[in-house]
Amino acid sequence: MKNPYLSFETVKANDRLVGHEIMSSMANRKSSPGHDAVGAINGDFYAGDGSPINIQIAQGEILLKPVSRPAVGFNVNNAPMIDVVSMAITASVDDTVAIVHGVNTTRQTDQLILFNSYRGTTTGTNQFGTEAWVRPVTPWIANDTVVCVVESVEVRIGNMTIPKGWAVLSGDGLSESNMMSRLQAGDTVRLFQGITPGLARLKELIGGNPKLVVGGVDVSPAAPREPRTAAGFSADSSVLYLVTVDGRQGNLSVGMTFNELAQFMIRIGVHVGINLDG
């Protein structure tokens, strides 16, 4: 993890919250000259429509809010973390600071929602609110400030288009009057995407469950033998381990229990580890 030519990224199928895509397709799609996918494993558990269960951050953009399950992530310096996190996002214009109530979720009464292109091509909102395109002029990142410029404001229209790499702030009721009504094209908006506990300048995060190893000790619960996928890192955070175990293949492979997986990870040098979607 100290290799300056290696970085770690999370990817969502089709770059959408809802959708399915096989891993080889995702790796090929994300590869380009000077940016080659050299390894990939399954991440968080998913609902039937392909949407992740837990929080995901992909290159600094938050896809959705966290749940009470652990997640594994990396900051811009490849420092790793595994923890159960909470999220608090604020948007500020001059001396006005507003709470952002959610990301890529249905806007409710009085709420301010942040939408990005993982939601889709439009926000899907009704006409009862105000929406603004915000273009980042600094990179998307969590646990640091993202500086954005307002490019356009729409009042009582709804379903605003979401340009890839940009975002839409969408406010209703009190959020509309307290924040959105103040916005004009050319304004500077500062977004702080807070993830607690979390690393400074957190860039990637993806969910899993449960924790398997903490401090080099097996903390795994009981579970039957299944195919497994897991991630962990060494005590000095210098080595990342991505582990896969085949299963359900008769005499070829029956998989591992959580305890067997945790013991295997400890033997190969994992100090903190988490189970992912096998």
Side-chain angles (χ1 to χ4, degrees):
M1 294 179 72
K2 304 300 182 183
N3 186 334
Y5 298 101
L6 287 179
S7 62
F8 307 95
E9 297 181 357
T10 74
V11 180
K12 181 62 187 70
N14 304 317
D15 291 334
R16 292 285 189 269
L17 269 175
V18 174
H20 303 87
E21 184 181 13
I22 61 174
M23 195 189 313
S24 57
S25 170
M26 298 162 76
N28 289 334
R29 182 167 58 80
K30 291 296 182 179
S31 292
S32 59
H35 186 267
D36 298 313
V38 297
I41 61 170
N42 289 333
D44 195 6
F45 299 87
Y46 290 82
D49 63 2
S51 57
I53 299 298
N54 201 358
I55 187 173
Q56 183 174 351
I57 302 177
Q59 293 79 73
E61 291 189 88
I62 298 176
L63 277 67
L64 77 171
K65 69 178 183 179
V67 298
S68 297
R69 286 183 170 190
V72 56
F74 310 90
N75 73 1
V76 294
N77 298 315
N78 283 350
M81 61 167 284
I82 295 177
D83 221 322
V84 179
V85 303
S86 60
M87 180 181 78
I89 302 177
T90 58
S92 1
V93 179
D94 298 327
D95 59 350
T96 300
V97 180
I99 294 172
V100 177
H101 299 92
V103 178
N104 293 328
T105 188
T106 301
R107 187 192 68 203
Q108 304 292 342
T109 302
D110 295 330
Q111 286 189 339
L112 179 64
I113 303 297
L114 178 68
F115 293 102
N116 55 44
S117 61
Y118 287 97
R119 166 79 170 193
T121 57
T122 65
T123 61
T125 51
N126 59 33
Q127 72 272 29
F128 303 111
T130 297
E131 298 187 314
W133 274 345
V134 292
R135 173 179 56 85
V137 295
T138 61
W140 288 108
I141 202 74
N143 288 340
D144 204 345
T145 299
V146 182
V147 180
C148 302
V149 172
V150 177
E151 293 290 341
S152 178
V153 179
E154 293 182 353
V155 181
R156 297 291 185 271
I157 297 177
N159 202 32
M160 196 177 205
T161 301
I162 310 172
K164 187 172 177 59
W166 292 19
V168 173
L169 279 172
S170 180
D172 173 86
L174 291 176
S175 293
E176 181 181 15
S177 57
N178 292 341
M179 166 61 77
M180 299 303 297
S181 63
R182 300 168 181 257
L183 294 185
Q184 299 180 24
D187 284 349
T188 297
V189 175
R190 288 175 170 80
L191 293 171
F192 186 86
Q193 303 183 124
I195 302 297
T196 306
L199 301 167
R201 297 187 60 75
L202 183 63
K203 179 173 169 281
E204 312 289 338
L205 195 65
I206 194 164
N209 198 51
K211 287 184 181 179
L212 298 171
V213 180
V214 176
V217 176
D218 178 358
V219 295
S220 62
R225 289 190 175 95
E226 299 283 1
R228 301 293 181 191
T229 301
F233 48 87
S234 60
D236 64 359
S237 297
S238 67
V239 180
L240 172 70
Y241 298 87
L242 302 178
V243 177
T244 63
V245 181
D246 287 336
R248 301 177 193 161
Q249 298 182 36
N251 294 330
L252 294 176
S253 177
V254 296
M256 281 185 173
T257 66
F258 282 156
N259 178 254
E260 290 166 341
L261 180 57
Q263 291 297 321
F264 172 76
M265 294 176 77
I266 292 168
R267 287 201 302 273
I268 65 174
V270 171
H271 186 71
V272 180
I274 185 176
N275 179 68
L276 303 171
D277 185 0

PDB file of all heavy atoms in Angstrom, residues 121-147:
ATOM      1  N   THR A 121     -29.916  10.035 -14.514  1.00  0.00           N
ATOM      2  CA  THR A 121     -29.728  11.227 -15.353  1.00  0.00           C
ATOM      3  C   THR A 121     -30.487  12.436 -14.825  1.00  0.00           C
ATOM      4  O   THR A 121     -30.182  13.572 -15.187  1.00  0.00           O
ATOM      5  CB  THR A 121     -30.175  10.941 -16.787  1.00  0.00           C
ATOM      6  OG1 THR A 121     -31.546  10.512 -16.778  1.00  0.00           O
ATOM      7  CG2 THR A 121     -29.307   9.854 -17.420  1.00  0.00           C
ATOM      8  N   THR A 122     -31.509  12.216 -13.961  1.00  0.00           N
ATOM      9  CA  THR A 122     -32.276  13.320 -13.377  1.00  0.00           C
ATOM     10  C   THR A 122     -32.550  13.033 -11.905  1.00  0.00           C
ATOM     11  O   THR A 122     -32.408  11.901 -11.433  1.00  0.00           O
ATOM     12  CB  THR A 122     -33.626  13.531 -14.098  1.00  0.00           C
ATOM     13  OG1 THR A 122     -34.458  12.371 -13.886  1.00  0.00           O
ATOM     14  CG2 THR A 122     -33.436  13.742 -15.596  1.00  0.00           C
ATOM     15  N   THR A 123     -32.987  14.067 -11.188  1.00  0.00           N
ATOM     16  CA  THR A 123     -33.234  13.921  -9.748  1.00  0.00           C
ATOM     17  C   THR A 123     -34.513  13.151  -9.428  1.00  0.00           C
ATOM     18  O   THR A 123     -34.651  12.609  -8.330  1.00  0.00           O
ATOM     19  CB  THR A 123     -33.318  15.300  -9.070  1.00  0.00           C
ATOM     20  OG1 THR A 123     -34.412  16.034  -9.634  1.00  0.00           O
ATOM     21  CG2 THR A 123     -32.026  16.073  -9.269  1.00  0.00           C
ATOM     22  N   GLY A 124     -35.481  13.138 -10.361  1.00  0.00           N
ATOM     23  CA  GLY A 124     -36.749  12.457 -10.101  1.00  0.00           C
ATOM     24  C   GLY A 124     -37.649  13.180  -9.115  1.00  0.00           C
ATOM     25  O   GLY A 124     -38.592  12.588  -8.585  1.00  0.00           O
ATOM     26  N   THR A 125     -37.394  14.467  -8.870  1.00  0.00           N
ATOM     27  CA  THR A 125     -38.175  15.231  -7.900  1.00  0.00           C
ATOM     28  C   THR A 125     -39.428  15.837  -8.540  1.00  0.00           C
ATOM     29  O   THR A 125     -39.522  15.976  -9.766  1.00  0.00           O
ATOM     30  CB  THR A 125     -37.326  16.380  -7.322  1.00  0.00           C
ATOM     31  OG1 THR A 125     -36.756  17.120  -8.414  1.00  0.00           O
ATOM     32  CG2 THR A 125     -36.198  15.831  -6.471  1.00  0.00           C
ATOM     33  N   ASN A 126     -40.394  16.228  -7.682  1.00  0.00           N
ATOM     34  CA  ASN A 126     -41.570  16.951  -8.174  1.00  0.00           C
ATOM     35  C   ASN A 126     -41.250  18.439  -8.303  1.00  0.00           C
ATOM     36  O   ASN A 126     -40.130  18.875  -8.039  1.00  0.00           O
ATOM     37  CB  ASN A 126     -42.781  16.718  -7.253  1.00  0.00           C
ATOM     38  CG  ASN A 126     -42.532  17.167  -5.818  1.00  0.00           C
ATOM     39  OD1 ASN A 126     -41.808  18.138  -5.575  1.00  0.00           O
ATOM     40  ND2 ASN A 126     -43.118  16.465  -4.862  1.00  0.00           N
ATOM     41  N   GLN A 127     -42.251  19.220  -8.687  1.00  0.00           N
ATOM     42  CA  GLN A 127     -42.019  20.645  -8.967  1.00  0.00           C
ATOM     43  C   GLN A 127     -42.047  21.521  -7.725  1.00  0.00           C
ATOM     44  O   GLN A 127     -41.796  22.733  -7.818  1.00  0.00           O
ATOM     45  CB  GLN A 127     -43.065  21.169  -9.976  1.00  0.00           C
ATOM     46  CG  GLN A 127     -44.475  21.329  -9.415  1.00  0.00           C
ATOM     47  CD  GLN A 127     -45.306  20.065  -9.521  1.00  0.00           C
ATOM     48  OE1 GLN A 127     -44.772  18.948  -9.501  1.00  0.00           O
ATOM     49  NE2 GLN A 127     -46.615  20.238  -9.641  1.00  0.00           N
ATOM     50  N   PHE A 128     -42.290  20.945  -6.545  1.00  0.00           N
ATOM     51  CA  PHE A 128     -42.441  21.758  -5.337  1.00  0.00           C
ATOM     52  C   PHE A 128     -41.101  21.964  -4.639  1.00  0.00           C
ATOM     53  O   PHE A 128     -40.858  21.444  -3.556  1.00  0.00           O
ATOM     54  CB  PHE A 128     -43.457  21.121  -4.394  1.00  0.00           C
ATOM     55  CG  PHE A 128     -44.801  20.921  -5.021  1.00  0.00           C
ATOM     56  CD1 PHE A 128     -45.265  19.640  -5.290  1.00  0.00           C
ATOM     57  CD2 PHE A 128     -45.583  22.008  -5.386  1.00  0.00           C
ATOM     58  CE1 PHE A 128     -46.511  19.455  -5.879  1.00  0.00           C
ATOM     59  CE2 PHE A 128     -46.824  21.824  -5.985  1.00  0.00           C
ATOM     60  CZ  PHE A 128     -47.281  20.544  -6.235  1.00  0.00           C
ATOM     61  N   GLY A 129     -40.231  22.719  -5.254  1.00  0.00           N
ATOM     62  CA  GLY A 129     -38.935  22.977  -4.646  1.00  0.00           C
ATOM     63  C   GLY A 129     -38.043  23.785  -5.573  1.00  0.00           C
ATOM     64  O   GLY A 129     -38.463  24.233  -6.638  1.00  0.00           O
ATOM     65  N   THR A 130     -36.816  23.985  -5.126  1.00  0.00           N
ATOM     66  CA  THR A 130     -35.803  24.698  -5.907  1.00  0.00           C
ATOM     67  C   THR A 130     -34.577  23.805  -6.027  1.00  0.00           C
ATOM     68  O   THR A 130     -34.176  23.156  -5.051  1.00  0.00           O
ATOM     69  CB  THR A 130     -35.413  26.019  -5.226  1.00  0.00           C
ATOM     70  OG1 THR A 130     -36.555  26.882  -5.157  1.00  0.00           O
ATOM     71  CG2 THR A 130     -34.298  26.725  -5.988  1.00  0.00           C
ATOM     72  N   GLU A 131     -34.011  23.765  -7.233  1.00  0.00           N
ATOM     73  CA  GLU A 131     -32.846  22.917  -7.478  1.00  0.00           C
ATOM     74  C   GLU A 131     -31.747  23.728  -8.150  1.00  0.00           C
ATOM     75  O   GLU A 131     -32.017  24.648  -8.924  1.00  0.00           O
ATOM     76  CB  GLU A 131     -33.217  21.714  -8.342  1.00  0.00           C
ATOM     77  CG  GLU A 131     -34.239  20.817  -7.663  1.00  0.00           C
ATOM     78  CD  GLU A 131     -34.517  19.530  -8.397  1.00  0.00           C
ATOM     79  OE1 GLU A 131     -34.715  19.579  -9.640  1.00  0.00           O
ATOM     80  OE2 GLU A 131     -34.538  18.472  -7.736  1.00  0.00           O
ATOM     81  N   ALA A 132     -30.485  23.360  -7.836  1.00  0.00           N
ATOM     82  CA  ALA A 132     -29.341  24.097  -8.380  1.00  0.00           C
ATOM     83  C   ALA A 132     -28.266  23.126  -8.833  1.00  0.00           C
ATOM     84  O   ALA A 132     -27.922  22.186  -8.102  1.00  0.00           O
ATOM     85  CB  ALA A 132     -28.768  25.052  -7.337  1.00  0.00           C
ATOM     86  N   TRP A 133     -27.760  23.368 -10.038  1.00  0.00           N
ATOM     87  CA  TRP A 133     -26.563  22.671 -10.490  1.00  0.00           C
ATOM     88  C   TRP A 133     -25.370  23.222  -9.728  1.00  0.00           C
ATOM     89  O   TRP A 133     -25.176  24.443  -9.658  1.00  0.00           O
ATOM     90  CB  TRP A 133     -26.307  22.938 -11.962  1.00  0.00           C
ATOM     91  CG  TRP A 133     -27.029  22.024 -12.907  1.00  0.00           C
ATOM     92  CD1 TRP A 133     -27.648  20.853 -12.643  1.00  0.00           C
ATOM     93  CD2 TRP A 133     -27.164  22.236 -14.317  1.00  0.00           C
ATOM     94  NE1 TRP A 133     -28.182  20.314 -13.785  1.00  0.00           N
ATOM     95  CE2 TRP A 133     -27.891  21.142 -14.827  1.00  0.00           C
ATOM     96  CE3 TRP A 133     -26.742  23.244 -15.188  1.00  0.00           C
ATOM     97  CZ2 TRP A 133     -28.204  21.034 -16.180  1.00  0.00           C
ATOM     98  CZ3 TRP A 133     -27.056  23.131 -16.528  1.00  0.00           C
ATOM     99  CH2 TRP A 133     -27.778  22.033 -17.017  1.00  0.00           C
ATOM    100  N   VAL A 134     -24.534  22.353  -9.178  1.00  0.00           N
ATOM    101  CA  VAL A 134     -23.283  22.798  -8.572  1.00  0.00           C
ATOM    102  C   VAL A 134     -22.132  22.029  -9.219  1.00  0.00           C
ATOM    103  O   VAL A 134     -22.138  20.811  -9.282  1.00  0.00           O
ATOM    104  CB  VAL A 134     -23.277  22.621  -7.037  1.00  0.00           C
ATOM    105  CG1 VAL A 134     -24.268  23.575  -6.399  1.00  0.00           C
ATOM    106  CG2 VAL A 134     -23.589  21.200  -6.612  1.00  0.00           C
ATOM    107  N   ARG A 135     -21.164  22.785  -9.723  1.00  0.00           N
ATOM    108  CA  ARG A 135     -20.006  22.201 -10.410  1.00  0.00           C
ATOM    109  C   ARG A 135     -18.801  22.268  -9.473  1.00  0.00           C
ATOM    110  O   ARG A 135     -18.420  23.343  -9.014  1.00  0.00           O
ATOM    111  CB  ARG A 135     -19.713  22.973 -11.690  1.00  0.00           C
ATOM    112  CG  ARG A 135     -18.427  22.556 -12.404  1.00  0.00           C
ATOM    113  CD  ARG A 135     -18.226  23.347 -13.682  1.00  0.00           C
ATOM    114  NE  ARG A 135     -18.231  24.786 -13.466  1.00  0.00           N
ATOM    115  CZ  ARG A 135     -17.152  25.488 -13.096  1.00  0.00           C
ATOM    116  NH1 ARG A 135     -15.990  24.873 -12.878  1.00  0.00           N
ATOM    117  NH2 ARG A 135     -17.234  26.813 -12.927  1.00  0.00           N
ATOM    118  N   PRO A 136     -18.172  21.122  -9.172  1.00  0.00           N
ATOM    119  CA  PRO A 136     -17.023  21.148  -8.262  1.00  0.00           C
ATOM    120  C   PRO A 136     -15.811  21.785  -8.933  1.00  0.00           C
ATOM    121  O   PRO A 136     -15.495  21.502 -10.088  1.00  0.00           O
ATOM    122  CB  PRO A 136     -16.770  19.670  -7.965  1.00  0.00           C
ATOM    123  CG  PRO A 136     -17.274  18.955  -9.177  1.00  0.00           C
ATOM    124  CD  PRO A 136     -18.459  19.750  -9.654  1.00  0.00           C
ATOM    125  N   VAL A 137     -15.125  22.632  -8.191  1.00  0.00           N
ATOM    126  CA  VAL A 137     -13.861  23.189  -8.679  1.00  0.00           C
ATOM    127  C   VAL A 137     -12.679  22.616  -7.895  1.00  0.00           C
ATOM    128  O   VAL A 137     -11.528  22.880  -8.227  1.00  0.00           O
ATOM    129  CB  VAL A 137     -13.852  24.734  -8.624  1.00  0.00           C
ATOM    130  CG1 VAL A 137     -14.881  25.293  -9.572  1.00  0.00           C
ATOM    131  CG2 VAL A 137     -14.104  25.240  -7.212  1.00  0.00           C
ATOM    132  N   THR A 138     -12.959  21.853  -6.851  1.00  0.00           N
ATOM    133  CA  THR A 138     -11.967  21.024  -6.183  1.00  0.00           C
ATOM    134  C   THR A 138     -12.483  19.587  -6.225  1.00  0.00           C
ATOM    135  O   THR A 138     -13.687  19.367  -6.395  1.00  0.00           O
ATOM    136  CB  THR A 138     -11.741  21.463  -4.725  1.00  0.00           C
ATOM    137  OG1 THR A 138     -12.965  21.338  -3.987  1.00  0.00           O
ATOM    138  CG2 THR A 138     -11.237  22.896  -4.664  1.00  0.00           C
ATOM    139  N   PRO A 139     -11.620  18.583  -6.079  1.00  0.00           N
ATOM    140  CA  PRO A 139     -12.071  17.189  -6.230  1.00  0.00           C
ATOM    141  C   PRO A 139     -13.118  16.800  -5.180  1.00  0.00           C
ATOM    142  O   PRO A 139     -13.099  17.292  -4.049  1.00  0.00           O
ATOM    143  CB  PRO A 139     -10.785  16.377  -6.052  1.00  0.00           C
ATOM    144  CG  PRO A 139      -9.684  17.327  -6.366  1.00  0.00           C
ATOM    145  CD  PRO A 139     -10.158  18.675  -5.908  1.00  0.00           C
ATOM    146  N   TRP A 140     -14.001  15.894  -5.565  1.00  0.00           N
ATOM    147  CA  TRP A 140     -14.928  15.307  -4.604  1.00  0.00           C
ATOM    148  C   TRP A 140     -14.130  14.549  -3.547  1.00  0.00           C
ATOM    149  O   TRP A 140     -13.206  13.807  -3.857  1.00  0.00           O
ATOM    150  CB  TRP A 140     -15.906  14.364  -5.294  1.00  0.00           C
ATOM    151  CG  TRP A 140     -16.924  15.068  -6.122  1.00  0.00           C
ATOM    152  CD1 TRP A 140     -16.993  15.117  -7.478  1.00  0.00           C
ATOM    153  CD2 TRP A 140     -18.034  15.838  -5.639  1.00  0.00           C
ATOM    154  NE1 TRP A 140     -18.066  15.880  -7.880  1.00  0.00           N
ATOM    155  CE2 TRP A 140     -18.719  16.334  -6.772  1.00  0.00           C
ATOM    156  CE3 TRP A 140     -18.510  16.165  -4.365  1.00  0.00           C
ATOM    157  CZ2 TRP A 140     -19.859  17.130  -6.660  1.00  0.00           C
ATOM    158  CZ3 TRP A 140     -19.642  16.960  -4.257  1.00  0.00           C
ATOM    159  CH2 TRP A 140     -20.300  17.426  -5.392  1.00  0.00           C
ATOM    160  N   ILE A 141     -14.499  14.725  -2.305  1.00  0.00           N
ATOM    161  CA  ILE A 141     -13.778  14.121  -1.195  1.00  0.00           C
ATOM    162  C   ILE A 141     -14.686  14.140   0.026  1.00  0.00           C
ATOM    163  O   ILE A 141     -15.581  14.985   0.141  1.00  0.00           O
ATOM    164  CB  ILE A 141     -12.451  14.874  -0.913  1.00  0.00           C
ATOM    165  CG1 ILE A 141     -11.457  14.004  -0.174  1.00  0.00           C
ATOM    166  CG2 ILE A 141     -12.694  16.183  -0.208  1.00  0.00           C
ATOM    167  CD1 ILE A 141     -10.815  12.938  -0.999  1.00  0.00           C
ATOM    168  N   ALA A 142     -14.479  13.193   0.933  1.00  0.00           N
ATOM    169  CA  ALA A 142     -15.171  13.208   2.224  1.00  0.00           C
ATOM    170  C   ALA A 142     -14.203  13.654   3.311  1.00  0.00           C
ATOM    171  O   ALA A 142     -12.985  13.521   3.179  1.00  0.00           O
ATOM    172  CB  ALA A 142     -15.730  11.826   2.545  1.00  0.00           C
ATOM    173  N   ASN A 143     -14.756  14.183   4.373  1.00  0.00           N
ATOM    174  CA  ASN A 143     -13.988  14.723   5.501  1.00  0.00           C
ATOM    175  C   ASN A 143     -13.031  15.831   5.081  1.00  0.00           C
ATOM    176  O   ASN A 143     -11.923  15.968   5.623  1.00  0.00           O
ATOM    177  CB  ASN A 143     -13.242  13.600   6.240  1.00  0.00           C
ATOM    178  CG  ASN A 143     -14.191  12.737   7.037  1.00  0.00           C
ATOM    179  OD1 ASN A 143     -15.304  13.148   7.360  1.00  0.00           O
ATOM    180  ND2 ASN A 143     -13.778  11.522   7.346  1.00  0.00           N
ATOM    181  N   ASP A 144     -13.462  16.608   4.120  1.00  0.00           N
ATOM    182  CA  ASP A 144     -12.794  17.833   3.710  1.00  0.00           C
ATOM    183  C   ASP A 144     -13.815  18.631   2.904  1.00  0.00           C
ATOM    184  O   ASP A 144     -14.878  18.118   2.542  1.00  0.00           O
ATOM    185  CB  ASP A 144     -11.546  17.545   2.883  1.00  0.00           C
ATOM    186  CG  ASP A 144     -10.542  18.693   2.929  1.00  0.00           C
ATOM    187  OD1 ASP A 144     -10.929  19.808   3.365  1.00  0.00           O
ATOM    188  OD2 ASP A 144      -9.392  18.496   2.529  1.00  0.00           O
ATOM    189  N   THR A 145     -13.497  19.876   2.611  1.00  0.00           N
ATOM    190  CA  THR A 145     -14.442  20.745   1.918  1.00  0.00           C
ATOM    191  C   THR A 145     -14.314  20.607   0.409  1.00  0.00           C
ATOM    192  O   THR A 145     -13.210  20.624  -0.138  1.00  0.00           O
ATOM    193  CB  THR A 145     -14.202  22.216   2.317  1.00  0.00           C
ATOM    194  OG1 THR A 145     -14.403  22.346   3.726  1.00  0.00           O
ATOM    195  CG2 THR A 145     -15.170  23.139   1.585  1.00  0.00           C
ATOM    196  N   VAL A 146     -15.462  20.442  -0.244  1.00  0.00           N
ATOM    197  CA  VAL A 146     -15.530  20.450  -1.704  1.00  0.00           C
ATOM    198  C   VAL A 146     -16.094  21.813  -2.112  1.00  0.00           C
ATOM    199  O   VAL A 146     -17.218  22.167  -1.749  1.00  0.00           O
ATOM    200  CB  VAL A 146     -16.442  19.327  -2.238  1.00  0.00           C
ATOM    201  CG1 VAL A 146     -16.443  19.330  -3.771  1.00  0.00           C
ATOM    202  CG2 VAL A 146     -15.998  17.970  -1.704  1.00  0.00           C
ATOM    203  N   VAL A 147     -15.307  22.579  -2.846  1.00  0.00           N
ATOM    204  CA  VAL A 147     -15.738  23.899  -3.291  1.00  0.00           C
ATOM    205  C   VAL A 147     -16.442  23.765  -4.638  1.00  0.00           C
ATOM    206  O   VAL A 147     -15.896  23.177  -5.577  1.00  0.00           O
ATOM    207  CB  VAL A 147     -14.542  24.864  -3.414  1.00  0.00           C
ATOM    208  CG1 VAL A 147     -15.009  26.244  -3.877  1.00  0.00           C
ATOM    209  CG2 VAL A 147     -13.803  24.964  -2.083  1.00  0.00           C
TER     210      VAL A 147
END
